[in-house]
Amino acid sequence: MERIYEDVFQDAFDLEDHCRILAVPRSKGSLHITVSEAGNKEIDLEVMESTQLHLFIHNKADGKVVLHMKGKIMAGASARIALLDLEDQPFEFDQHIDLKEEGASIDNSTAQLVKSAFKKGNIEIRHEKAHTSGHMHNFAVLFDHAKYEMVANGNILKGAFDSASHQETRVLTLGKDHETKVIPLLLIDENDVKASHALTIGEPDENQLYYLQSRGLSKETALGLLSVGYFMPVIRQIENEDLREQLREEMERKVGIYGH
């Protein structure tokens, strides 16, 4: 499958085994990709110069998904990419984005609900030229016996001066016997750059939990409310209001706000 976009565009489609996406120079638009079937999937993305792209990926597959994504972002182009995965199915995400020319930028987010299935991510943003910007935001909520791994790599090559690489990973653990492995990496071969990483892994705040339960909420509902904040930064990126509300309600149901 190949899709070419120009001017002002908006599109939504189901991902087949392989998809090549090309946003031509000086275009602007949004894409909503749904992963409906299990299996190995590939996305090849190229965002040409002076283009603005918003890409939202929603996993709905009833089975294991292995998603490989590679991308190139050219001069003065910007991409905002978000992944939402609420399924209790194995999911592996391998993503490599190259900021190929000056002024290229990306803001990349993932939000995953991890119950009994194994979730694994490997994300790299590579700065090849000067004046590039890469931001990563990874959020996960873990229940009993969950297993989650994430490698987040900001890679600034020699000559990519005045570039910025920032990342954050936040993991909320709601159960027991879970396994979490998060590796934040900053590989920097240039002096004149800005770079940072932040990592938090932990249980809900006991005072917040006590307060919510003192107001008559069950423990399950209270835990669900505390986990909402880990998904909303990604869900808010959905531009279609009806779909945004639909996914918010789906997320709230799956984290236990409604008691089932």
Side-chain angles (χ1 to χ4, degrees):
M1 176 193 296
E2 181 177 63
R3 291 179 178 257
I4 300 175
Y5 299 96
E6 58 185 1
D7 299 327
V8 178
F9 60 87
Q10 186 173 1
D11 195 12
F13 60 91
D14 282 351
L15 180 64
E16 298 179 358
D17 291 342
H18 179 267
C19 180
R20 179 175 182 267
I21 299 170
L22 173 63
V24 306
R26 292 169 292 282
S27 58
K28 179 180 181 180
S30 62
L31 304 176
H32 187 109
I33 299 177
T34 302
V35 181
S36 298
E37 297 183 357
N40 293 327
K41 311 291 180 180
E42 293 184 14
I43 298 175
D44 289 335
L45 175 67
E46 189 164 358
V47 184
M48 300 300 289
E49 58 266 20
S50 303
T51 287
Q52 299 178 39
L53 172 67
H54 179 201
L55 171 59
F56 191 91
I57 303 170
H58 180 203
N59 178 42
K60 295 178 63 177
D62 188 18
K64 181 178 180 179
V65 172
V66 179
L67 176 57
H68 298 276
M69 181 176 183
K70 57 183 179 180
K72 299 177 182 178
I73 303 178
M74 311 308 283
S78 63
R80 186 157 52 108
I81 301 175
L83 167 73
L84 178 66
D85 172 27
L86 300 173
E87 301 305 310
D88 189 18
Q89 299 291 339
F91 190 90
E92 295 184 19
F93 186 43
D94 187 59
Q95 180 189 36
H96 299 273
I97 302 294
D98 293 335
L99 304 177
K100 301 290 290 185
E101 297 177 342
E102 292 193 8
S105 67
I106 182 171
D107 190 280
N108 198 88
S109 302
T110 67
Q112 294 181 281
L113 178 61
V114 192
K115 291 188 174 180
S116 60
F118 176 35
K119 313 276 185 172
K120 181 178 181 180
N122 179 30
I123 301 173
E124 179 188 28
I125 296 175
R126 186 166 62 176
H127 303 250
E128 297 189 6
K129 296 294 183 180
H131 312 295
T132 53
S133 176
H135 294 254
M136 280 184 273
H137 318 273
N138 298 306
F139 305 96
V141 176
L142 278 57
F143 283 79
D144 289 343
H145 313 296
K147 186 176 181 181
Y148 173 78
E149 293 184 6
M150 175 60 70
V151 177
N153 182 7
N155 190 353
I156 301 179
L157 304 185
K158 186 67 176 178
F161 57 88
D162 194 31
S163 291
S165 177
H166 301 288
Q167 58 176 274
E168 64 168 329
T169 301
R170 296 176 57 202
V171 180
L172 179 66
T173 56
L174 299 182
K176 57 184 179 179
D177 299 326
H178 47 73
E179 296 181 31
T180 306
K181 182 178 181 181
V182 177
I183 303 176
L185 296 175
L186 289 172
L187 305 179
I188 301 173
D189 196 22
E190 181 61 57
N191 292 322
D192 183 17
V193 300
K194 297 178 181 179
S196 67
H197 63 72
L199 168 63
T200 60
I201 302 174
E203 300 176 351
D205 183 274
E206 288 295 333
N207 292 329
Q208 291 179 328
L209 188 60
Y210 175 80
Y211 174 81
L212 292 172
Q213 290 183 277
S214 71
R215 292 298 183 267
L217 298 181
S218 68
K219 184 176 181 180
E220 181 183 32
T221 301
L223 289 172
L225 281 173
L226 293 177
S227 67
V228 165
Y230 285 72
F231 296 101
M232 287 310 298
V234 171
I235 291 177
R236 288 193 190 101
Q237 295 189 36
I238 302 173
E239 296 183 347
N240 183 291
E241 183 177 353
D242 291 338
L243 180 59
R244 184 169 62 247
E245 287 304 302
Q246 176 185 329
L247 288 183
R248 181 186 60 79
E249 292 179 5
E250 177 185 343
M251 176 270 296
E252 291 177 351
R253 175 174 54 82
K254 289 188 174 183
V255 299
I257 284 184
Y258 306 128
H260 55 81

PDB file of all heavy atoms in Angstrom, residues 210-237:
ATOM      1  N   TYR A 210      -6.369   7.277  49.216  1.00  0.00           N
ATOM      2  CA  TYR A 210      -7.180   7.353  50.428  1.00  0.00           C
ATOM      3  C   TYR A 210      -8.269   8.411  50.284  1.00  0.00           C
ATOM      4  O   TYR A 210      -9.431   8.188  50.671  1.00  0.00           O
ATOM      5  CB  TYR A 210      -6.293   7.676  51.632  1.00  0.00           C
ATOM      6  CG  TYR A 210      -7.067   7.900  52.909  1.00  0.00           C
ATOM      7  CD1 TYR A 210      -7.538   6.823  53.663  1.00  0.00           C
ATOM      8  CD2 TYR A 210      -7.341   9.198  53.356  1.00  0.00           C
ATOM      9  CE1 TYR A 210      -8.263   7.037  54.828  1.00  0.00           C
ATOM     10  CE2 TYR A 210      -8.056   9.418  54.521  1.00  0.00           C
ATOM     11  CZ  TYR A 210      -8.517   8.333  55.246  1.00  0.00           C
ATOM     12  OH  TYR A 210      -9.245   8.543  56.406  1.00  0.00           O
ATOM     13  N   TYR A 211      -7.913   9.556  49.713  1.00  0.00           N
ATOM     14  CA  TYR A 211      -8.891  10.635  49.538  1.00  0.00           C
ATOM     15  C   TYR A 211     -10.056  10.184  48.661  1.00  0.00           C
ATOM     16  O   TYR A 211     -11.234  10.411  48.999  1.00  0.00           O
ATOM     17  CB  TYR A 211      -8.207  11.860  48.930  1.00  0.00           C
ATOM     18  CG  TYR A 211      -9.178  12.973  48.581  1.00  0.00           C
ATOM     19  CD1 TYR A 211      -9.637  13.853  49.556  1.00  0.00           C
ATOM     20  CD2 TYR A 211      -9.652  13.118  47.281  1.00  0.00           C
ATOM     21  CE1 TYR A 211     -10.535  14.852  49.253  1.00  0.00           C
ATOM     22  CE2 TYR A 211     -10.552  14.120  46.962  1.00  0.00           C
ATOM     23  CZ  TYR A 211     -10.998  14.989  47.949  1.00  0.00           C
ATOM     24  OH  TYR A 211     -11.898  15.970  47.642  1.00  0.00           O
ATOM     25  N   LEU A 212      -9.747   9.547  47.544  1.00  0.00           N
ATOM     26  CA  LEU A 212     -10.798   9.107  46.629  1.00  0.00           C
ATOM     27  C   LEU A 212     -11.689   8.059  47.284  1.00  0.00           C
ATOM     28  O   LEU A 212     -12.920   8.094  47.137  1.00  0.00           O
ATOM     29  CB  LEU A 212     -10.177   8.552  45.344  1.00  0.00           C
ATOM     30  CG  LEU A 212      -9.468   9.573  44.448  1.00  0.00           C
ATOM     31  CD1 LEU A 212      -8.731   8.876  43.313  1.00  0.00           C
ATOM     32  CD2 LEU A 212     -10.464  10.586  43.889  1.00  0.00           C
ATOM     33  N   GLN A 213     -11.095   7.138  48.032  1.00  0.00           N
ATOM     34  CA  GLN A 213     -11.904   6.115  48.695  1.00  0.00           C
ATOM     35  C   GLN A 213     -12.744   6.717  49.825  1.00  0.00           C
ATOM     36  O   GLN A 213     -13.852   6.244  50.104  1.00  0.00           O
ATOM     37  CB  GLN A 213     -11.000   5.005  49.230  1.00  0.00           C
ATOM     38  CG  GLN A 213     -10.379   4.150  48.127  1.00  0.00           C
ATOM     39  CD  GLN A 213      -9.536   3.014  48.688  1.00  0.00           C
ATOM     40  OE1 GLN A 213      -8.378   3.201  49.022  1.00  0.00           O
ATOM     41  NE2 GLN A 213     -10.139   1.848  48.808  1.00  0.00           N
ATOM     42  N   SER A 214     -12.228   7.768  50.454  1.00  0.00           N
ATOM     43  CA  SER A 214     -12.999   8.417  51.519  1.00  0.00           C
ATOM     44  C   SER A 214     -14.217   9.136  50.977  1.00  0.00           C
ATOM     45  O   SER A 214     -15.130   9.467  51.725  1.00  0.00           O
ATOM     46  CB  SER A 214     -12.107   9.409  52.279  1.00  0.00           C
ATOM     47  OG  SER A 214     -11.809  10.547  51.473  1.00  0.00           O
ATOM     48  N   ARG A 215     -14.221   9.376  49.664  1.00  0.00           N
ATOM     49  CA  ARG A 215     -15.376  10.010  49.027  1.00  0.00           C
ATOM     50  C   ARG A 215     -16.357   8.976  48.481  1.00  0.00           C
ATOM     51  O   ARG A 215     -17.237   9.304  47.685  1.00  0.00           O
ATOM     52  CB  ARG A 215     -14.911  10.932  47.888  1.00  0.00           C
ATOM     53  CG  ARG A 215     -14.144  12.162  48.390  1.00  0.00           C
ATOM     54  CD  ARG A 215     -15.057  13.019  49.268  1.00  0.00           C
ATOM     55  NE  ARG A 215     -14.418  14.250  49.719  1.00  0.00           N
ATOM     56  CZ  ARG A 215     -13.764  14.394  50.854  1.00  0.00           C
ATOM     57  NH1 ARG A 215     -13.632  13.354  51.675  1.00  0.00           N
ATOM     58  NH2 ARG A 215     -13.238  15.536  51.204  1.00  0.00           N
ATOM     59  N   GLY A 216     -16.176   7.719  48.857  1.00  0.00           N
ATOM     60  CA  GLY A 216     -17.131   6.687  48.509  1.00  0.00           C
ATOM     61  C   GLY A 216     -16.791   5.871  47.278  1.00  0.00           C
ATOM     62  O   GLY A 216     -17.587   5.011  46.873  1.00  0.00           O
ATOM     63  N   LEU A 217     -15.638   6.092  46.681  1.00  0.00           N
ATOM     64  CA  LEU A 217     -15.253   5.325  45.500  1.00  0.00           C
ATOM     65  C   LEU A 217     -14.634   4.000  45.923  1.00  0.00           C
ATOM     66  O   LEU A 217     -13.940   3.903  46.943  1.00  0.00           O
ATOM     67  CB  LEU A 217     -14.242   6.101  44.654  1.00  0.00           C
ATOM     68  CG  LEU A 217     -14.702   7.435  44.073  1.00  0.00           C
ATOM     69  CD1 LEU A 217     -13.576   8.054  43.254  1.00  0.00           C
ATOM     70  CD2 LEU A 217     -15.943   7.259  43.213  1.00  0.00           C
ATOM     71  N   SER A 218     -14.903   2.955  45.133  1.00  0.00           N
ATOM     72  CA  SER A 218     -14.237   1.682  45.378  1.00  0.00           C
ATOM     73  C   SER A 218     -12.755   1.820  45.048  1.00  0.00           C
ATOM     74  O   SER A 218     -12.340   2.749  44.344  1.00  0.00           O
ATOM     75  CB  SER A 218     -14.854   0.587  44.507  1.00  0.00           C
ATOM     76  OG  SER A 218     -14.555   0.820  43.139  1.00  0.00           O
ATOM     77  N   LYS A 219     -11.954   0.894  45.554  1.00  0.00           N
ATOM     78  CA  LYS A 219     -10.524   0.947  45.263  1.00  0.00           C
ATOM     79  C   LYS A 219     -10.273   0.805  43.766  1.00  0.00           C
ATOM     80  O   LYS A 219      -9.401   1.489  43.205  1.00  0.00           O
ATOM     81  CB  LYS A 219      -9.789  -0.155  46.024  1.00  0.00           C
ATOM     82  CG  LYS A 219      -8.274  -0.086  45.822  1.00  0.00           C
ATOM     83  CD  LYS A 219      -7.545  -1.127  46.672  1.00  0.00           C
ATOM     84  CE  LYS A 219      -6.035  -1.019  46.479  1.00  0.00           C
ATOM     85  NZ  LYS A 219      -5.303  -2.021  47.303  1.00  0.00           N
ATOM     86  N   GLU A 220     -11.017  -0.076  43.093  1.00  0.00           N
ATOM     87  CA  GLU A 220     -10.841  -0.273  41.651  1.00  0.00           C
ATOM     88  C   GLU A 220     -11.134   1.010  40.887  1.00  0.00           C
ATOM     89  O   GLU A 220     -10.379   1.410  39.990  1.00  0.00           O
ATOM     90  CB  GLU A 220     -11.754  -1.392  41.152  1.00  0.00           C
ATOM     91  CG  GLU A 220     -11.599  -1.676  39.664  1.00  0.00           C
ATOM     92  CD  GLU A 220     -12.551  -2.734  39.175  1.00  0.00           C
ATOM     93  OE1 GLU A 220     -13.674  -2.833  39.723  1.00  0.00           O
ATOM     94  OE2 GLU A 220     -12.193  -3.461  38.230  1.00  0.00           O
ATOM     95  N   THR A 221     -12.234   1.694  41.247  1.00  0.00           N
ATOM     96  CA  THR A 221     -12.585   2.941  40.575  1.00  0.00           C
ATOM     97  C   THR A 221     -11.551   4.023  40.857  1.00  0.00           C
ATOM     98  O   THR A 221     -11.162   4.788  39.962  1.00  0.00           O
ATOM     99  CB  THR A 221     -13.976   3.410  41.021  1.00  0.00           C
ATOM    100  OG1 THR A 221     -14.936   2.405  40.702  1.00  0.00           O
ATOM    101  CG2 THR A 221     -14.358   4.710  40.319  1.00  0.00           C
ATOM    102  N   ALA A 222     -11.086   4.096  42.101  1.00  0.00           N
ATOM    103  CA  ALA A 222     -10.079   5.095  42.463  1.00  0.00           C
ATOM    104  C   ALA A 222      -8.782   4.877  41.689  1.00  0.00           C
ATOM    105  O   ALA A 222      -8.184   5.822  41.175  1.00  0.00           O
ATOM    106  CB  ALA A 222      -9.819   5.046  43.960  1.00  0.00           C
ATOM    107  N   LEU A 223      -8.344   3.620  41.586  1.00  0.00           N
ATOM    108  CA  LEU A 223      -7.131   3.320  40.828  1.00  0.00           C
ATOM    109  C   LEU A 223      -7.317   3.673  39.356  1.00  0.00           C
ATOM    110  O   LEU A 223      -6.396   4.172  38.695  1.00  0.00           O
ATOM    111  CB  LEU A 223      -6.774   1.840  40.976  1.00  0.00           C
ATOM    112  CG  LEU A 223      -6.251   1.404  42.343  1.00  0.00           C
ATOM    113  CD1 LEU A 223      -6.119  -0.111  42.405  1.00  0.00           C
ATOM    114  CD2 LEU A 223      -4.923   2.066  42.655  1.00  0.00           C
ATOM    115  N   GLY A 224      -8.525   3.417  38.851  1.00  0.00           N
ATOM    116  CA  GLY A 224      -8.803   3.769  37.465  1.00  0.00           C
ATOM    117  C   GLY A 224      -8.695   5.263  37.221  1.00  0.00           C
ATOM    118  O   GLY A 224      -8.125   5.706  36.221  1.00  0.00           O
ATOM    119  N   LEU A 225      -9.234   6.042  38.140  1.00  0.00           N
ATOM    120  CA  LEU A 225      -9.151   7.500  37.995  1.00  0.00           C
ATOM    121  C   LEU A 225      -7.711   7.991  38.019  1.00  0.00           C
ATOM    122  O   LEU A 225      -7.334   8.887  37.256  1.00  0.00           O
ATOM    123  CB  LEU A 225      -9.950   8.167  39.116  1.00  0.00           C
ATOM    124  CG  LEU A 225     -11.473   8.214  38.943  1.00  0.00           C
ATOM    125  CD1 LEU A 225     -12.127   8.746  40.213  1.00  0.00           C
ATOM    126  CD2 LEU A 225     -11.856   9.081  37.749  1.00  0.00           C
ATOM    127  N   LEU A 226      -6.887   7.395  38.874  1.00  0.00           N
ATOM    128  CA  LEU A 226      -5.491   7.815  38.954  1.00  0.00           C
ATOM    129  C   LEU A 226      -4.706   7.457  37.699  1.00  0.00           C
ATOM    130  O   LEU A 226      -3.711   8.103  37.375  1.00  0.00           O
ATOM    131  CB  LEU A 226      -4.831   7.185  40.183  1.00  0.00           C
ATOM    132  CG  LEU A 226      -5.347   7.673  41.535  1.00  0.00           C
ATOM    133  CD1 LEU A 226      -4.661   6.921  42.667  1.00  0.00           C
ATOM    134  CD2 LEU A 226      -5.134   9.175  41.696  1.00  0.00           C
ATOM    135  N   SER A 227      -5.153   6.433  36.983  1.00  0.00           N
ATOM    136  CA  SER A 227      -4.434   6.015  35.778  1.00  0.00           C
ATOM    137  C   SER A 227      -4.842   6.806  34.539  1.00  0.00           C
ATOM    138  O   SER A 227      -4.125   6.791  33.534  1.00  0.00           O
ATOM    139  CB  SER A 227      -4.654   4.525  35.523  1.00  0.00           C
ATOM    140  OG  SER A 227      -6.002   4.264  35.182  1.00  0.00           O
ATOM    141  N   VAL A 228      -5.967   7.521  34.613  1.00  0.00           N
ATOM    142  CA  VAL A 228      -6.461   8.258  33.450  1.00  0.00           C
ATOM    143  C   VAL A 228      -5.422   9.243  32.911  1.00  0.00           C
ATOM    144  O   VAL A 228      -5.241   9.402  31.701  1.00  0.00           O
ATOM    145  CB  VAL A 228      -7.780   8.984  33.797  1.00  0.00           C
ATOM    146  CG1 VAL A 228      -8.124  10.036  32.748  1.00  0.00           C
ATOM    147  CG2 VAL A 228      -8.922   7.976  33.905  1.00  0.00           C
ATOM    148  N   GLY A 229      -4.717   9.890  33.821  1.00  0.00           N
ATOM    149  CA  GLY A 229      -3.752  10.899  33.404  1.00  0.00           C
ATOM    150  C   GLY A 229      -2.606  10.360  32.576  1.00  0.00           C
ATOM    151  O   GLY A 229      -1.910  11.129  31.906  1.00  0.00           O
ATOM    152  N   TYR A 230      -2.401   9.046  32.579  1.00  0.00           N
ATOM    153  CA  TYR A 230      -1.345   8.445  31.783  1.00  0.00           C
ATOM    154  C   TYR A 230      -1.769   8.251  30.330  1.00  0.00           C
ATOM    155  O   TYR A 230      -0.920   8.026  29.467  1.00  0.00           O
ATOM    156  CB  TYR A 230      -0.921   7.106  32.387  1.00  0.00           C
ATOM    157  CG  TYR A 230      -0.081   7.270  33.633  1.00  0.00           C
ATOM    158  CD1 TYR A 230      -0.653   7.705  34.831  1.00  0.00           C
ATOM    159  CD2 TYR A 230       1.274   7.011  33.620  1.00  0.00           C
ATOM    160  CE1 TYR A 230       0.111   7.870  35.972  1.00  0.00           C
ATOM    161  CE2 TYR A 230       2.058   7.174  34.754  1.00  0.00           C
ATOM    162  CZ  TYR A 230       1.462   7.610  35.929  1.00  0.00           C
ATOM    163  OH  TYR A 230       2.230   7.783  37.049  1.00  0.00           O
ATOM    164  N   PHE A 231      -3.064   8.298  30.070  1.00  0.00           N
ATOM    165  CA  PHE A 231      -3.557   8.086  28.708  1.00  0.00           C
ATOM    166  C   PHE A 231      -4.055   9.361  28.040  1.00  0.00           C
ATOM    167  O   PHE A 231      -3.999   9.481  26.819  1.00  0.00           O
ATOM    168  CB  PHE A 231      -4.691   7.051  28.723  1.00  0.00           C
ATOM    169  CG  PHE A 231      -4.255   5.690  29.159  1.00  0.00           C
ATOM    170  CD1 PHE A 231      -4.503   5.245  30.451  1.00  0.00           C
ATOM    171  CD2 PHE A 231      -3.572   4.850  28.299  1.00  0.00           C
ATOM    172  CE1 PHE A 231      -4.092   3.989  30.861  1.00  0.00           C
ATOM    173  CE2 PHE A 231      -3.150   3.597  28.696  1.00  0.00           C
ATOM    174  CZ  PHE A 231      -3.418   3.165  29.985  1.00  0.00           C
ATOM    175  N   MET A 232      -4.527  10.303  28.832  1.00  0.00           N
ATOM    176  CA  MET A 232      -5.148  11.482  28.239  1.00  0.00           C
ATOM    177  C   MET A 232      -4.204  12.335  27.385  1.00  0.00           C
ATOM    178  O   MET A 232      -4.642  12.907  26.381  1.00  0.00           O
ATOM    179  CB  MET A 232      -5.801  12.338  29.324  1.00  0.00           C
ATOM    180  CG  MET A 232      -7.092  11.736  29.880  1.00  0.00           C
ATOM    181  SD  MET A 232      -8.273  11.240  28.595  1.00  0.00           S
ATOM    182  CE  MET A 232      -8.617  12.825  27.815  1.00  0.00           C
ATOM    183  N   PRO A 233      -2.904  12.452  27.714  1.00  0.00           N
ATOM    184  CA  PRO A 233      -2.042  13.240  26.829  1.00  0.00           C
ATOM    185  C   PRO A 233      -2.022  12.728  25.394  1.00  0.00           C
ATOM    186  O   PRO A 233      -1.869  13.510  24.453  1.00  0.00           O
ATOM    187  CB  PRO A 233      -0.658  13.103  27.481  1.00  0.00           C
ATOM    188  CG  PRO A 233      -0.938  12.879  28.913  1.00  0.00           C
ATOM    189  CD  PRO A 233      -2.173  12.024  28.935  1.00  0.00           C
ATOM    190  N   VAL A 234      -2.179  11.420  25.219  1.00  0.00           N
ATOM    191  CA  VAL A 234      -2.220  10.845  23.870  1.00  0.00           C
ATOM    192  C   VAL A 234      -3.619  10.943  23.281  1.00  0.00           C
ATOM    193  O   VAL A 234      -3.796  11.314  22.119  1.00  0.00           O
ATOM    194  CB  VAL A 234      -1.738   9.385  23.895  1.00  0.00           C
ATOM    195  CG1 VAL A 234      -1.989   8.702  22.557  1.00  0.00           C
ATOM    196  CG2 VAL A 234      -0.243   9.345  24.224  1.00  0.00           C
ATOM    197  N   ILE A 235      -4.639  10.629  24.061  1.00  0.00           N
ATOM    198  CA  ILE A 235      -6.007  10.676  23.548  1.00  0.00           C
ATOM    199  C   ILE A 235      -6.391  12.091  23.126  1.00  0.00           C
ATOM    200  O   ILE A 235      -7.105  12.287  22.139  1.00  0.00           O
ATOM    201  CB  ILE A 235      -6.986  10.122  24.605  1.00  0.00           C
ATOM    202  CG1 ILE A 235      -6.764   8.610  24.758  1.00  0.00           C
ATOM    203  CG2 ILE A 235      -8.443  10.420  24.233  1.00  0.00           C
ATOM    204  CD1 ILE A 235      -7.615   7.958  25.827  1.00  0.00           C
ATOM    205  N   ARG A 236      -5.888  13.090  23.829  1.00  0.00           N
ATOM    206  CA  ARG A 236      -6.198  14.479  23.474  1.00  0.00           C
ATOM    207  C   ARG A 236      -5.662  14.846  22.082  1.00  0.00           C
ATOM    208  O   ARG A 236      -6.091  15.835  21.494  1.00  0.00           O
ATOM    209  CB  ARG A 236      -5.631  15.440  24.505  1.00  0.00           C
ATOM    210  CG  ARG A 236      -6.352  15.439  25.844  1.00  0.00           C
ATOM    211  CD  ARG A 236      -5.933  16.619  26.683  1.00  0.00           C
ATOM    212  NE  ARG A 236      -6.428  16.520  28.054  1.00  0.00           N
ATOM    213  CZ  ARG A 236      -5.704  16.135  29.086  1.00  0.00           C
ATOM    214  NH1 ARG A 236      -4.425  15.828  28.911  1.00  0.00           N
ATOM    215  NH2 ARG A 236      -6.230  16.051  30.301  1.00  0.00           N
ATOM    216  N   GLN A 237      -4.736  14.086  21.580  1.00  0.00           N
ATOM    217  CA  GLN A 237      -4.180  14.399  20.272  1.00  0.00           C
ATOM    218  C   GLN A 237      -5.105  13.998  19.119  1.00  0.00           C
ATOM    219  O   GLN A 237      -4.861  14.360  17.969  1.00  0.00           O
ATOM    220  CB  GLN A 237      -2.820  13.704  20.097  1.00  0.00           C
ATOM    221  CG  GLN A 237      -1.768  14.210  21.055  1.00  0.00           C
ATOM    222  CD  GLN A 237      -0.397  13.682  20.734  1.00  0.00           C
ATOM    223  OE1 GLN A 237      -0.044  13.506  19.567  1.00  0.00           O
ATOM    224  NE2 GLN A 237       0.401  13.419  21.749  1.00  0.00           N
TER     225      GLN A 237
END
